[in-house]
Amino acid sequence: QVQLVESGGGSVQTGESLRLSCSYSTRIFNIERMGWYRRAPESDPKVDGELVASAPVDGAPIDGRTDYAESVKGRFTISVDTQKNMVYLEMNDLQPDDAGIYRCNGAPIPFIKWGQGTQVTVSS
């Protein structure tokens, strides 16, 4: 069973940066894209959250573009290292609206069992 483990969150001030990491415990077969999802503070824990960024897995036979939610374009960068089973999210110029629980999963359909996520808090 694939396990997702996210890390790298924290409490920052507006304008600061964080780098999130997600490890998955085994090679995920038949997956084409990985993404980062943000669940807003105090939202229903059953909600998957907003897909803020996604990228193709190395060698996936599909469109190789990365995708970002409008609100994070130009500030966030996603990368996938299939060899290391890692997904990263570089977040720059963080804003209070970026706060939440960040979790990685397949994209655009999060079909893998969710990990715990990593919390990001942004103070103005």
Side-chain angles (χ1 to χ4, degrees):
Q1 182 176 0
V2 179
Q3 287 187 313
L4 301 171
V5 180
E6 299 90 350
S7 63
S11 296
V12 297
Q13 299 289 320
T14 297
E16 294 185 338
S17 300
L18 285 172
R19 186 185 192 222
L20 307 184
S21 299
C22 166
S23 67
Y24 47 97
S25 61
T26 187
R27 189 172 186 86
I28 304 174
F29 293 98
N30 299 320
I31 187 168
E32 297 180 334
R33 299 182 71 82
M34 289 292 289
W36 282 95
Y37 296 77
R38 183 184 72 89
R39 197 174 73 213
E42 301 181 0
S43 63
D44 186 342
K46 297 179 182 178
V47 173
D48 290 339
E50 177 189 18
L51 177 61
V52 297
S54 67
V57 171
D58 293 349
I62 60 166
D63 187 346
R65 72 184 189 283
T66 52
D67 282 335
Y68 298 94
E70 283 296 323
S71 61
V72 307
K73 281 183 179 179
R75 300 187 296 120
F76 289 13
T77 303
I78 185 174
S79 58
V80 180
D81 187 335
T82 308
Q83 296 304 313
K84 296 182 179 179
N85 290 358
M86 295 291 295
V87 186
Y88 304 100
L89 186 66
E90 188 76 34
M91 305 189 296
N92 297 315
D93 189 24
L94 282 161
Q95 303 296 313
D97 284 348
D98 296 322
I101 302 292
Y102 283 76
R103 302 180 293 175
C104 68
N105 211 307
I109 305 299
F111 66 92
I112 306 168
K113 182 180 179 181
W114 289 107
Q116 292 298 309
T118 186
Q119 184 162 350
V120 172
T121 303
V122 185
S123 301
S124 57

